[in-house]
Amino acid sequence: MATKLTATVSSIVIFIISFGLSIFLYSKTPDAFPWIAPWVIQLVRASAMLIALFLLFERLFKMELHTKIILGMLLGAAAGILFKNNIMELKPVGTAFIRLIQMIVVPLVFASLLAGTASLGDIGKMKRIGTKTLLYYLASTAFAITVGLVLANIFHPGSGMSPEVQAKLMENYQGVAGQKLSAAQQTETSPVQTFLNIIPQNPFEALTGASMLQIIFFSIVTGIALTLIPKEKAQPVIAFFDGLFEAMIKIVVQVIKIAPYGVFALIADAVGNFGLEILASLLKYTLVTTAGLLLVIFLYPFVQSIFSGLNPG
Amino acid sequence: MATKLTATVSSIVIFIISFGLSIFLYSKTPDAFPWIAPWVIQLVRASAMLIALFLLFERLFKMELHTKIILGMLLGAAAGILFKNNIMELKPVGTAFIRLIQMIVVPLVFASLLAGTASLGDIGKMKRIGTKTLLYYLASTAFAITVGLVLANIFHPGSGMSPEVQAKLMENYQGVAGQKLSAAQQTETSPVQTFLNIIPQNPFEALTGASMLQIIFFSIVTGIALTLIPKEKAQPVIAFFDGLFEAMIKIVVQVIKIAPYGVFALIADAVGNFGLEILASLLKYTLVTTAGLLLVIFLYPFVQSIFSGLNPG
Amino acid sequence: MATKLTATVSSIVIFIISFGLSIFLYSKTPDAFPWIAPWVIQLVRASAMLIALFLLFERLFKMELHTKIILGMLLGAAAGILFKNNIMELKPVGTAFIRLIQMIVVPLVFASLLAGTASLGDIGKMKRIGTKTLLYYLASTAFAITVGLVLANIFHPGSGMSPEVQAKLMENYQGVAGQKLSAAQQTETSPVQTFLNIIPQNPFEALTGASMLQIIFFSIVTGIALTLIPKEKAQPVIAFFDGLFEAMIKIVVQVIKIAPYGVFALIADAVGNFGLEILASLLKYTLVTTAGLLLVIFLYPFVQSIFSGLNPG
C-alpha cells in the first residue's frame, strides 16, 4: 500500500520534471545553449517529452487505448502549434510505429488468408456461401460507393486549404506522387490486363514486391487446394501458417500499444510543419467519413431487404 | 430420368443459341451496332463463345481431357481463320491459363525437389543410385541431342514461313527478344561462371527471381542435408514441403481442366493474328518432334545395351 | 591389411603422377602444345592439381581441418609465386566455396534467430537477461573498438604496399567500390534513419535483398511473439525453423570440408595476380588482428570487474 503510494508520488514528480523540462527546451531552438551540442539538447528534450507522455498514459491515469490515441492526437496538435519546427524531430517515433505496422502486413495477410481458407474445410459448402457472400458484398459495396461519391461531391473534403499550405504539401509530396504517377503511366494497363495481373507469375516475387492482390489470390488458391488434399498432408502446412498468423497478430497487439506515442509524433510533425489548417482539413474529412458511415449503417436494412434471400448465415 | 433429359435438352438449346450468337457477333466488328457500346458487344460474344465451348466440352459429349485440348486447338484455328482480328479479344482467357500455370512453377519445383530428396532417406544408397543415374542420364541426353540436331538440320522446322509472317513475328516479339539479347550481352559470362551461377548467393533471391537452376540446386542440397540430421528434427520441414507440394499438384490438376479453353483462345489469337501459316510451321515442328521422340524410343535399347551395367534400379 | 597397403601405395603413386603432371603443365602456358586445345590443357592440369591436393589432404596424411586450411594457404601462396597468371584459372574452386557459404547465410541467420528466440520461452526471464547482456555487450564492444582503433593507428595494416600493387588493386576493385560508393551516396541517410531502416517494411523483401539487420530484427521479433502465443500454436512454426536451422548447419559442416581447396585456390589466385606483397599486407593485418584479440582477452577481466554486477549467467 505504502509502496504503491510512493510509486504514484514519484511518478507525479518525474512527470512534472520531465514535462517542464521538455516544454522549456522545446520552446528554444537546439542551438540556444552554445556550450552544449544541439543533438544533446534534442535527445534530452525528446526523451523528456516521451517520458512525460508515458507517465501520463500509463501511470497517472487509467485509460483505454482509444482514449490514449485521441489524447495523443490532441496533445500532438498542441505540441505542433506551440513548438512548430522544433517538434518535428519527434517524427522518427511515428515513423517507427508505421514501419512496425507495415512490417507485419505481408506475412499477416498471407498467413491469415492461407490458414483461414484452408481451415474452412468443406469446399462444397464454401462455394455456396462464397457465391452468396460475393453477391451481397458486391451489392453493399456498390451502395457504399454511391453514398461515398455523393457525400464527397457535396462537401469536398480536402478543400478549404489555403494556397500556401497546398503549395507546401505539393512540395513535400510531389516527389512521391510524381514517382507513382510516372510508374503508373509507364505501365498503363487495360482493365482486362489489370485483372490478369492478379494472378502472380511467381508467388515469391509477389511476396517480395508486396503485391497485395497477387498475395491474396495465391494464398486463397493455395488454401482451397489444401482443403482438397488428404488432411494429414495438409495439416503441417496449415499448422505452420496458423502459428505464423497467431505470432503476427501478437506483434500487432504489442505494436498497437505504442500507437498513442506514434500518433502524437505524427500529428505534432504534421501540425508543426503545415500548421493547424491541415488538421481542419483532416477534421472535415473525418466528419464526412463518419457521416457516410452512419448513412450506410442506417440505410443498409433497405438494401438488405432487396437481397433478402441472399443474406449469408 | 426425366430431369436428366430436360437438362440435356436445355443444354442443347443453350448451346445452339450461344453458338449462333457468338458466330453472328464475331462476324461483325464491335462497332457494327452504333447504338450499343463496343465493349458490350465484345463481352456478350466472348461470353457466348465460352458458354458454347463449355457446353460442347462438358455437357453435350463425354470427352477425355486430351480430346478436349485437341478439339480446342482445331476450333481455335477455325475461329482464327473465320474471325481474324475479332477473335483476338479472347486472348486473356489463354493468358490467364498460362499465368496460372506459371504461378505454381516455382513453389512446385522448390517443394517437390526438397521434399523428394529429403524423403529418399539413405544418403549412401542415394550416392550409388545418383552416380549411375547421372551417367545414364548424360549418355541418353547426349544421344537424344544427337537425334534432335540431325532431324532439325534435315527438316528445318520453322522454315517455310512467308517473309511477311516472319516480319510480323519479328515485329511482335522483337521487343522481348531484344531485351533478352541485351540482358544476355550485358552479363556475357564464361562457361565456368555459368556453372558457378548455379550456386545461389541467396536462396530467397533465387526464389523471387525464379532462377530455376539455383532453386533446383538449393532445394536438392537442403533436401540432402535434411536426410543427414535427426529424423525428428527433419520431419516438420519435410512434412511442410510435402504438404505444399501436394497442394501445388492439386492446383495443377484443377488448372489443367481449363486447358481446352486456354488453348482455344491462344490458337485463335495466333491464327487470327498471323494466319494459318503459323500453324503449318507449328505442325511441321510438332511432326519432327514426334518423329524424334519415336526414333529415340526405338533406338534406346541399343544405347542401353552399351550401358547395360549402369541401369538404375 | 593387404588391401589397405595397396590402397596407400596406389594413393602415393597417383599423387606423384598427378602432382608431377600439374607442376609440369602449370609451368607452361596453355598454348604451349599447339596440337592440343588450350582448354584441354587447363582442364587436365587443374584436375591433376586438385587430385594431388585431395590425396595429400585426405589419403596420405591424417590432418585436422585447420591444419589442412593453413597448408592450403601456404601451398596456394607457393603455387601463386611459381605459376603466376597460370594458376588463376583455379579461382572458380575458391568462388564455388565462397558462394556455397554465402548461400546459407540468409536462411541460417533467419532460421536460427527465429527458432532460438522462440525456444528461449519465458519472456520475463529473457527481458532480465536481455538488458544485462545488452549493457555488457555494449561495454565490451566499446572497449574492443578502442583497442582496435589504437592498434590500427599505430601499425597501419594495409600500408607498406608498393604503389604498383596498390594501383593494380584499385584497377581490379574500383568497379565494385565505385558502385558501393555511389549507392551509398545516393541513399545518404541520417543516423536516425539508419536505425529506423532496421525495421523492415516487408520481411520478404528483406530476405530477398539479404538485408541482414532487417532479417535479424524481424526474426527476433517473430521469435518473441512465438513465445507469447499458445505453445501448441507456436510449436509447428518453431519445429519448422528448428529443422531448417539444423539442415543449414549440416550444409555448413559439409561445405567447410572443402575450405582447404577453396583457400588454396583463392590464395593462389591472389598471389598469382598481385605477387607476394599482398600476402605480406595480409600477414601484417593478421598479426595486428591477433595482437588485438590477445589484448582484449587479457584486459577483459578489468572491464568485467567494472560491470561486475552485470555478468549474464
Side-chain angles (χ1 to χ4, degrees), chain B residues 192-193 196-197 199-205 208 214 217-218 221-222 225-226 228-230 233-234 236-237 240-241, chain C residues 92 95-96 99-100 102-104 106-107 110 204 207-210 236 239-240 242-244 246-248 250-251 254:
Chain B
V192 174
Q193 190 57 43
L196 288 175
N197 284 345
I199 308 172
Q201 288 181 295
N202 174 1
F204 293 97
E205 196 188 4
T208 299
Q214 295 194 344
F217 182 84
F218 179 72
V221 166
T222 306
L226 284 169
L228 298 173
I229 64 174
K233 291 268 186 185
V237 184
F240 174 82
F241 284 109
Chain C
T95 309
R99 286 186 78 109
L100 283 167
Q102 285 177 322
M103 178 176 81
I104 26 150
V106 171
F110 185 55
F204 293 97
L207 287 169
T208 299
F240 174 82
D242 199 35
L244 196 64
E246 292 278 339
M248 291 302 122
K250 188 56 87 178
I251 297 177
Q254 300 296 322

Short mmCIF file of all heavy atoms in Angstrom, two decimals, chain B residues 192-193 196-197 199-205 208 214 217-218 221-222 225-226 228-230 233-234 236-237 240-241, chain C residues 92 95-96 99-100 102-104 106-107 110 204 207-210 236 239-240 242-244 246-248 250-251 254:
data_model
loop_
_atom_site.label_atom_id
_atom_site.label_comp_id
_atom_site.label_asym_id
_atom_site.label_seq_id
_atom_site.Cartn_x
_atom_site.Cartn_y
_atom_site.Cartn_z
N VAL B 192 32.44 -21.40 -67.26
CA VAL B 192 32.71 -21.72 -65.86
C VAL B 192 31.82 -20.89 -64.95
O VAL B 192 31.20 -21.38 -64.00
CB VAL B 192 34.20 -21.48 -65.53
CG1 VAL B 192 34.44 -21.67 -64.05
CG2 VAL B 192 35.08 -22.41 -66.34
N GLN B 193 31.70 -19.58 -65.27
CA GLN B 193 30.87 -18.69 -64.46
C GLN B 193 29.42 -19.15 -64.48
O GLN B 193 28.71 -19.08 -63.47
CB GLN B 193 31.00 -17.25 -64.99
CG GLN B 193 30.37 -16.20 -64.10
CD GLN B 193 30.95 -16.22 -62.70
OE1 GLN B 193 32.15 -16.34 -62.51
NE2 GLN B 193 30.09 -16.15 -61.69
N LEU B 196 29.12 -21.77 -61.97
CA LEU B 196 29.19 -21.20 -60.62
C LEU B 196 27.88 -20.51 -60.25
O LEU B 196 27.46 -20.53 -59.10
CB LEU B 196 30.35 -20.21 -60.52
CG LEU B 196 31.75 -20.82 -60.52
CD1 LEU B 196 32.80 -19.74 -60.54
CD2 LEU B 196 31.95 -21.71 -59.30
N ASN B 197 27.24 -19.91 -61.27
CA ASN B 197 25.99 -19.18 -61.00
C ASN B 197 24.86 -20.10 -60.57
O ASN B 197 23.82 -19.63 -60.10
CB ASN B 197 25.56 -18.39 -62.24
CG ASN B 197 26.40 -17.15 -62.42
OD1 ASN B 197 27.09 -16.73 -61.50
ND2 ASN B 197 26.35 -16.57 -63.60
N ILE B 199 25.04 -21.97 -58.10
CA ILE B 199 25.03 -21.86 -56.64
C ILE B 199 24.45 -20.49 -56.28
O ILE B 199 25.06 -19.47 -56.60
CB ILE B 199 26.45 -21.98 -56.06
CG1 ILE B 199 27.13 -23.24 -56.58
CG2 ILE B 199 26.40 -21.97 -54.54
CD1 ILE B 199 28.60 -23.34 -56.20
N PRO B 200 23.26 -20.43 -55.67
CA PRO B 200 22.68 -19.12 -55.37
C PRO B 200 23.44 -18.42 -54.25
O PRO B 200 23.92 -19.07 -53.32
CB PRO B 200 21.26 -19.45 -54.91
CG PRO B 200 21.34 -20.84 -54.39
CD PRO B 200 22.41 -21.53 -55.19
N GLN B 201 23.58 -17.10 -54.36
CA GLN B 201 24.20 -16.35 -53.27
C GLN B 201 23.19 -16.09 -52.17
O GLN B 201 23.54 -15.76 -51.05
CB GLN B 201 24.78 -15.03 -53.79
CG GLN B 201 26.03 -15.28 -54.64
CD GLN B 201 26.64 -14.01 -55.16
OE1 GLN B 201 26.02 -13.31 -55.95
NE2 GLN B 201 27.84 -13.70 -54.72
N ASN B 202 21.91 -16.22 -52.51
CA ASN B 202 20.83 -16.05 -51.54
C ASN B 202 19.62 -16.80 -52.07
O ASN B 202 19.02 -16.40 -53.06
CB ASN B 202 20.52 -14.55 -51.37
CG ASN B 202 19.33 -14.30 -50.48
OD1 ASN B 202 18.72 -15.24 -49.96
ND2 ASN B 202 18.98 -13.04 -50.31
N PRO B 203 19.23 -17.90 -51.42
CA PRO B 203 18.12 -18.71 -51.96
C PRO B 203 16.81 -17.94 -52.08
O PRO B 203 16.01 -18.23 -52.96
CB PRO B 203 18.00 -19.86 -50.95
CG PRO B 203 18.82 -19.48 -49.78
CD PRO B 203 19.84 -18.50 -50.23
N PHE B 204 16.59 -16.93 -51.21
CA PHE B 204 15.35 -16.16 -51.30
C PHE B 204 15.35 -15.29 -52.56
O PHE B 204 14.31 -15.09 -53.18
CB PHE B 204 15.16 -15.31 -50.05
CG PHE B 204 14.92 -16.12 -48.82
CD1 PHE B 204 15.95 -16.42 -47.95
CD2 PHE B 204 13.66 -16.63 -48.54
CE1 PHE B 204 15.74 -17.19 -46.82
CE2 PHE B 204 13.44 -17.40 -47.42
CZ PHE B 204 14.48 -17.68 -46.55
N GLU B 205 16.54 -14.78 -52.91
CA GLU B 205 16.66 -14.02 -54.16
C GLU B 205 16.38 -14.95 -55.34
O GLU B 205 15.73 -14.55 -56.31
CB GLU B 205 18.06 -13.43 -54.25
CG GLU B 205 18.21 -12.33 -55.26
CD GLU B 205 19.67 -11.94 -55.43
OE1 GLU B 205 20.55 -12.58 -54.82
OE2 GLU B 205 19.93 -10.99 -56.19
N THR B 208 12.64 -15.46 -55.59
CA THR B 208 11.96 -14.26 -56.09
C THR B 208 12.23 -14.05 -57.57
O THR B 208 11.34 -13.68 -58.32
CB THR B 208 12.42 -13.03 -55.29
OG1 THR B 208 12.07 -13.23 -53.93
CG2 THR B 208 11.77 -11.76 -55.81
N GLN B 214 19.19 -22.32 -59.82
CA GLN B 214 19.58 -22.03 -58.44
C GLN B 214 18.58 -22.64 -57.45
O GLN B 214 18.96 -23.17 -56.41
CB GLN B 214 19.65 -20.52 -58.23
CG GLN B 214 20.74 -19.84 -59.05
CD GLN B 214 21.03 -18.43 -58.58
OE1 GLN B 214 20.24 -17.85 -57.86
NE2 GLN B 214 22.15 -17.89 -58.99
N PHE B 217 19.22 -26.33 -57.32
CA PHE B 217 20.43 -26.63 -56.56
C PHE B 217 20.17 -26.52 -55.06
O PHE B 217 20.46 -27.44 -54.30
CB PHE B 217 21.55 -25.66 -56.96
CG PHE B 217 22.85 -25.91 -56.27
CD1 PHE B 217 23.74 -26.86 -56.75
CD2 PHE B 217 23.19 -25.22 -55.12
CE1 PHE B 217 24.94 -27.10 -56.10
CE2 PHE B 217 24.39 -25.46 -54.46
CZ PHE B 217 25.26 -26.40 -54.96
N PHE B 218 19.56 -25.40 -54.65
CA PHE B 218 19.36 -25.18 -53.21
C PHE B 218 18.39 -26.21 -52.63
O PHE B 218 18.62 -26.71 -51.52
CB PHE B 218 18.82 -23.77 -52.96
CG PHE B 218 18.57 -23.49 -51.50
CD1 PHE B 218 19.63 -23.33 -50.63
CD2 PHE B 218 17.28 -23.42 -51.00
CE1 PHE B 218 19.41 -23.09 -49.29
CE2 PHE B 218 17.06 -23.19 -49.66
CZ PHE B 218 18.13 -23.01 -48.80
N VAL B 221 20.22 -29.58 -52.32
CA VAL B 221 21.22 -29.55 -51.25
C VAL B 221 20.52 -29.57 -49.88
O VAL B 221 20.92 -30.32 -48.97
CB VAL B 221 22.12 -28.30 -51.39
CG1 VAL B 221 22.93 -28.07 -50.13
CG2 VAL B 221 23.05 -28.46 -52.58
N THR B 222 19.46 -28.75 -49.74
CA THR B 222 18.75 -28.72 -48.46
C THR B 222 18.07 -30.06 -48.20
O THR B 222 18.05 -30.55 -47.06
CB THR B 222 17.71 -27.59 -48.46
OG1 THR B 222 18.36 -26.37 -48.80
CG2 THR B 222 17.06 -27.44 -47.09
N ALA B 225 20.65 -32.40 -46.99
CA ALA B 225 21.02 -32.06 -45.60
C ALA B 225 19.95 -32.56 -44.63
O ALA B 225 20.27 -33.01 -43.52
CB ALA B 225 21.19 -30.55 -45.47
N LEU B 226 18.68 -32.52 -45.06
CA LEU B 226 17.60 -32.98 -44.18
C LEU B 226 17.68 -34.48 -43.91
O LEU B 226 17.19 -34.97 -42.89
CB LEU B 226 16.24 -32.62 -44.79
CG LEU B 226 15.84 -31.15 -44.67
CD1 LEU B 226 14.62 -30.85 -45.53
CD2 LEU B 226 15.55 -30.78 -43.22
N LEU B 228 20.40 -35.95 -43.39
CA LEU B 228 21.59 -36.18 -42.56
C LEU B 228 21.39 -35.73 -41.11
O LEU B 228 22.25 -35.94 -40.27
CB LEU B 228 22.79 -35.44 -43.16
CG LEU B 228 23.21 -35.88 -44.57
CD1 LEU B 228 24.28 -34.96 -45.12
CD2 LEU B 228 23.69 -37.32 -44.55
N ILE B 229 20.26 -35.06 -40.84
CA ILE B 229 20.02 -34.61 -39.46
C ILE B 229 19.02 -35.57 -38.81
O ILE B 229 18.36 -36.35 -39.52
CB ILE B 229 19.50 -33.15 -39.42
CG1 ILE B 229 18.14 -33.02 -40.11
CG2 ILE B 229 20.51 -32.22 -40.07
CD1 ILE B 229 17.53 -31.64 -39.97
N PRO B 230 18.90 -35.52 -37.47
CA PRO B 230 17.97 -36.44 -36.80
C PRO B 230 16.57 -36.37 -37.40
O PRO B 230 16.07 -35.28 -37.71
CB PRO B 230 17.97 -35.93 -35.35
CG PRO B 230 19.29 -35.26 -35.19
CD PRO B 230 19.63 -34.67 -36.53
N LYS B 233 13.95 -33.96 -36.16
CA LYS B 233 14.19 -32.55 -36.50
C LYS B 233 13.77 -32.27 -37.95
O LYS B 233 13.24 -31.21 -38.26
CB LYS B 233 15.69 -32.22 -36.35
CG LYS B 233 16.21 -32.22 -34.93
CD LYS B 233 16.12 -30.84 -34.33
CE LYS B 233 16.78 -30.81 -32.96
NZ LYS B 233 16.59 -29.51 -32.30
N ALA B 234 14.07 -33.24 -38.83
CA ALA B 234 13.81 -33.04 -40.25
C ALA B 234 12.33 -33.17 -40.57
O ALA B 234 11.82 -32.52 -41.49
CB ALA B 234 14.61 -34.06 -41.07
N PRO B 236 9.33 -32.11 -39.44
CA PRO B 236 8.42 -30.98 -39.66
C PRO B 236 8.69 -30.24 -40.97
O PRO B 236 7.76 -29.82 -41.65
CB PRO B 236 8.68 -30.06 -38.46
CG PRO B 236 9.29 -30.94 -37.42
CD PRO B 236 10.06 -31.98 -38.16
N VAL B 237 9.98 -30.10 -41.32
CA VAL B 237 10.32 -29.40 -42.56
C VAL B 237 9.84 -30.21 -43.76
O VAL B 237 9.21 -29.68 -44.68
CB VAL B 237 11.85 -29.16 -42.65
CG1 VAL B 237 12.18 -28.35 -43.88
CG2 VAL B 237 12.34 -28.45 -41.40
N PHE B 240 6.08 -30.16 -44.07
CA PHE B 240 5.59 -28.87 -44.58
C PHE B 240 5.70 -28.82 -46.10
O PHE B 240 4.74 -28.52 -46.80
CB PHE B 240 6.38 -27.72 -43.96
CG PHE B 240 6.04 -26.38 -44.53
CD1 PHE B 240 4.92 -25.69 -44.08
CD2 PHE B 240 6.82 -25.81 -45.52
CE1 PHE B 240 4.60 -24.45 -44.61
CE2 PHE B 240 6.50 -24.58 -46.06
CZ PHE B 240 5.39 -23.90 -45.60
N PHE B 241 6.90 -29.14 -46.61
CA PHE B 241 7.10 -29.03 -48.06
C PHE B 241 6.34 -30.12 -48.81
O PHE B 241 5.91 -29.91 -49.95
CB PHE B 241 8.59 -29.05 -48.40
CG PHE B 241 9.26 -27.75 -48.10
CD1 PHE B 241 10.14 -27.62 -47.04
CD2 PHE B 241 8.98 -26.62 -48.85
CE1 PHE B 241 10.74 -26.41 -46.75
CE2 PHE B 241 9.57 -25.40 -48.57
CZ PHE B 241 10.45 -25.30 -47.51
N PRO C 92 37.81 -20.44 -59.80
CA PRO C 92 36.43 -20.90 -59.63
C PRO C 92 36.23 -21.86 -58.45
O PRO C 92 35.16 -21.87 -57.84
CB PRO C 92 36.13 -21.60 -60.96
CG PRO C 92 36.98 -20.85 -61.94
CD PRO C 92 38.24 -20.51 -61.20
N THR C 95 35.77 -19.58 -55.69
CA THR C 95 34.50 -18.88 -55.83
C THR C 95 33.34 -19.79 -55.44
O THR C 95 32.40 -19.36 -54.75
CB THR C 95 34.32 -18.39 -57.28
OG1 THR C 95 35.50 -17.69 -57.67
CG2 THR C 95 33.12 -17.48 -57.40
N ALA C 96 33.40 -21.05 -55.87
CA ALA C 96 32.34 -22.00 -55.53
C ALA C 96 32.24 -22.14 -54.02
O ALA C 96 31.14 -22.13 -53.45
CB ALA C 96 32.62 -23.36 -56.17
N ARG C 99 30.61 -19.00 -52.64
CA ARG C 99 29.17 -18.94 -52.95
C ARG C 99 28.38 -19.92 -52.10
O ARG C 99 27.25 -19.64 -51.69
CB ARG C 99 28.93 -19.23 -54.44
CG ARG C 99 29.33 -18.09 -55.35
CD ARG C 99 28.93 -18.37 -56.79
NE ARG C 99 27.51 -18.14 -56.99
CZ ARG C 99 27.01 -17.13 -57.69
NH1 ARG C 99 27.80 -16.27 -58.26
NH2 ARG C 99 25.71 -16.99 -57.82
N LEU C 100 28.96 -21.10 -51.85
CA LEU C 100 28.26 -22.09 -51.02
C LEU C 100 28.06 -21.56 -49.60
O LEU C 100 27.02 -21.78 -48.97
CB LEU C 100 29.04 -23.41 -51.00
CG LEU C 100 28.89 -24.26 -52.25
CD1 LEU C 100 29.93 -25.38 -52.27
CD2 LEU C 100 27.49 -24.84 -52.33
N GLN C 102 28.00 -18.32 -48.82
CA GLN C 102 27.02 -17.22 -48.93
C GLN C 102 25.59 -17.75 -48.97
O GLN C 102 24.68 -17.18 -48.38
CB GLN C 102 27.28 -16.41 -50.21
CG GLN C 102 28.49 -15.50 -50.13
CD GLN C 102 28.74 -14.79 -51.44
OE1 GLN C 102 28.57 -15.37 -52.51
NE2 GLN C 102 29.14 -13.53 -51.38
N MET C 103 25.41 -18.86 -49.70
CA MET C 103 24.07 -19.41 -49.93
C MET C 103 23.32 -19.65 -48.63
O MET C 103 22.11 -19.44 -48.56
CB MET C 103 24.19 -20.72 -50.71
CG MET C 103 22.87 -21.42 -50.97
SD MET C 103 23.09 -22.91 -51.98
CE MET C 103 23.62 -24.09 -50.74
N ILE C 104 24.05 -20.11 -47.60
CA ILE C 104 23.34 -20.50 -46.39
C ILE C 104 23.23 -19.37 -45.37
O ILE C 104 22.58 -19.52 -44.35
CB ILE C 104 24.02 -21.71 -45.72
CG1 ILE C 104 25.49 -21.71 -46.10
CG2 ILE C 104 23.36 -22.99 -46.11
CD1 ILE C 104 26.33 -22.29 -45.11
N VAL C 106 21.68 -16.31 -45.30
CA VAL C 106 20.36 -15.75 -45.01
C VAL C 106 19.43 -16.77 -44.34
O VAL C 106 18.89 -16.50 -43.27
CB VAL C 106 19.72 -15.15 -46.29
CG1 VAL C 106 18.28 -14.75 -46.03
CG2 VAL C 106 20.51 -13.93 -46.73
N PRO C 107 19.25 -17.98 -44.93
CA PRO C 107 18.37 -18.92 -44.22
C PRO C 107 18.91 -19.33 -42.85
O PRO C 107 18.12 -19.54 -41.92
CB PRO C 107 18.29 -20.13 -45.17
CG PRO C 107 19.34 -19.94 -46.19
CD PRO C 107 19.66 -18.49 -46.24
N PHE C 110 18.22 -16.37 -40.40
CA PHE C 110 16.78 -16.23 -40.20
C PHE C 110 16.25 -17.37 -39.33
O PHE C 110 15.60 -17.13 -38.29
CB PHE C 110 16.08 -16.23 -41.56
CG PHE C 110 14.61 -15.98 -41.50
CD1 PHE C 110 14.11 -14.86 -40.86
CD2 PHE C 110 13.72 -16.86 -42.08
CE1 PHE C 110 12.75 -14.62 -40.80
CE2 PHE C 110 12.36 -16.63 -42.02
CZ PHE C 110 11.88 -15.51 -41.38
N PHE C 204 9.75 -10.14 -46.46
CA PHE C 204 10.14 -10.95 -47.62
C PHE C 204 11.12 -10.17 -48.50
O PHE C 204 12.02 -10.75 -49.09
CB PHE C 204 8.90 -11.36 -48.42
CG PHE C 204 8.02 -12.31 -47.68
CD1 PHE C 204 6.91 -11.86 -46.99
CD2 PHE C 204 8.32 -13.66 -47.64
CE1 PHE C 204 6.10 -12.74 -46.29
CE2 PHE C 204 7.52 -14.55 -46.95
CZ PHE C 204 6.40 -14.09 -46.27
N LEU C 207 14.44 -10.52 -46.83
CA LEU C 207 15.06 -11.82 -47.10
C LEU C 207 15.65 -11.85 -48.50
O LEU C 207 16.76 -12.34 -48.71
CB LEU C 207 14.03 -12.94 -46.94
CG LEU C 207 13.60 -13.26 -45.51
CD1 LEU C 207 12.40 -14.19 -45.51
CD2 LEU C 207 14.75 -13.90 -44.75
N THR C 208 14.90 -11.33 -49.47
CA THR C 208 15.37 -11.35 -50.85
C THR C 208 16.59 -10.45 -51.03
O THR C 208 17.52 -10.80 -51.75
CB THR C 208 14.24 -10.90 -51.80
OG1 THR C 208 13.16 -11.81 -51.66
CG2 THR C 208 14.71 -10.85 -53.24
N GLY C 209 16.57 -9.29 -50.37
CA GLY C 209 17.67 -8.35 -50.51
C GLY C 209 18.82 -8.64 -49.56
O GLY C 209 19.80 -7.92 -49.54
N ALA C 210 18.68 -9.72 -48.76
CA ALA C 210 19.72 -10.09 -47.78
C ALA C 210 20.09 -8.90 -46.89
O ALA C 210 21.25 -8.68 -46.58
CB ALA C 210 20.96 -10.65 -48.48
N PRO C 236 4.49 -25.82 -34.28
CA PRO C 236 4.81 -26.17 -35.68
C PRO C 236 5.77 -25.17 -36.34
O PRO C 236 6.64 -25.57 -37.10
CB PRO C 236 3.44 -26.14 -36.37
CG PRO C 236 2.44 -26.30 -35.29
CD PRO C 236 3.03 -25.67 -34.08
N ALA C 239 9.24 -25.74 -34.77
CA ALA C 239 9.81 -27.01 -35.24
C ALA C 239 10.30 -26.88 -36.68
O ALA C 239 11.35 -27.41 -37.04
CB ALA C 239 8.76 -28.12 -35.13
N PHE C 240 9.53 -26.15 -37.51
CA PHE C 240 9.93 -25.97 -38.91
C PHE C 240 11.26 -25.23 -39.00
O PHE C 240 12.19 -25.69 -39.66
CB PHE C 240 8.85 -25.18 -39.66
CG PHE C 240 9.24 -24.83 -41.07
CD1 PHE C 240 9.10 -25.76 -42.09
CD2 PHE C 240 9.75 -23.58 -41.37
CE1 PHE C 240 9.47 -25.45 -43.39
CE2 PHE C 240 10.12 -23.26 -42.67
CZ PHE C 240 9.98 -24.20 -43.67
N ASP C 242 13.45 -24.77 -36.66
CA ASP C 242 14.50 -25.52 -35.99
C ASP C 242 15.09 -26.56 -36.93
O ASP C 242 16.31 -26.72 -37.03
CB ASP C 242 13.92 -26.19 -34.73
CG ASP C 242 15.01 -26.58 -33.76
OD1 ASP C 242 16.01 -25.84 -33.67
OD2 ASP C 242 14.88 -27.62 -33.11
N GLY C 243 14.21 -27.26 -37.66
CA GLY C 243 14.67 -28.25 -38.62
C GLY C 243 15.47 -27.62 -39.75
O GLY C 243 16.52 -28.12 -40.16
N LEU C 244 14.97 -26.47 -40.24
CA LEU C 244 15.68 -25.76 -41.30
C LEU C 244 17.06 -25.34 -40.82
O LEU C 244 18.06 -25.45 -41.55
CB LEU C 244 14.86 -24.53 -41.71
CG LEU C 244 15.23 -23.88 -43.03
CD1 LEU C 244 14.94 -24.83 -44.18
CD2 LEU C 244 14.43 -22.60 -43.22
N GLU C 246 18.88 -26.76 -38.46
CA GLU C 246 19.76 -27.94 -38.38
C GLU C 246 20.28 -28.32 -39.77
O GLU C 246 21.45 -28.67 -39.94
CB GLU C 246 18.98 -29.13 -37.79
CG GLU C 246 18.61 -28.99 -36.34
CD GLU C 246 19.76 -29.37 -35.41
OE1 GLU C 246 20.66 -30.11 -35.86
OE2 GLU C 246 19.76 -28.91 -34.26
N ALA C 247 19.39 -28.23 -40.77
CA ALA C 247 19.79 -28.58 -42.13
C ALA C 247 20.87 -27.61 -42.63
O ALA C 247 21.86 -28.02 -43.25
CB ALA C 247 18.59 -28.56 -43.06
N MET C 248 20.70 -26.31 -42.33
CA MET C 248 21.68 -25.32 -42.77
C MET C 248 23.03 -25.57 -42.11
O MET C 248 24.08 -25.48 -42.75
CB MET C 248 21.19 -23.90 -42.43
CG MET C 248 19.99 -23.44 -43.23
SD MET C 248 20.30 -23.45 -45.01
CE MET C 248 19.01 -24.55 -45.56
N LYS C 250 24.12 -28.39 -41.08
CA LYS C 250 24.69 -29.59 -41.70
C LYS C 250 25.37 -29.22 -43.02
O LYS C 250 26.44 -29.75 -43.36
CB LYS C 250 23.57 -30.61 -41.92
CG LYS C 250 24.01 -31.98 -42.37
CD LYS C 250 25.02 -32.61 -41.45
CE LYS C 250 24.36 -33.38 -40.32
NZ LYS C 250 25.35 -34.04 -39.43
N ILE C 251 24.75 -28.30 -43.77
CA ILE C 251 25.38 -27.86 -45.03
C ILE C 251 26.70 -27.15 -44.74
O ILE C 251 27.71 -27.40 -45.39
CB ILE C 251 24.43 -26.93 -45.83
CG1 ILE C 251 23.16 -27.69 -46.23
CG2 ILE C 251 25.12 -26.39 -47.08
CD1 ILE C 251 22.14 -26.84 -46.95
N GLN C 254 29.41 -29.58 -44.06
CA GLN C 254 29.91 -30.24 -45.28
C GLN C 254 30.76 -29.28 -46.11
O GLN C 254 31.80 -29.65 -46.63
CB GLN C 254 28.74 -30.76 -46.12
CG GLN C 254 27.85 -31.77 -45.41
CD GLN C 254 28.59 -33.04 -45.06
OE1 GLN C 254 29.42 -33.52 -45.82
NE2 GLN C 254 28.33 -33.58 -43.87
#
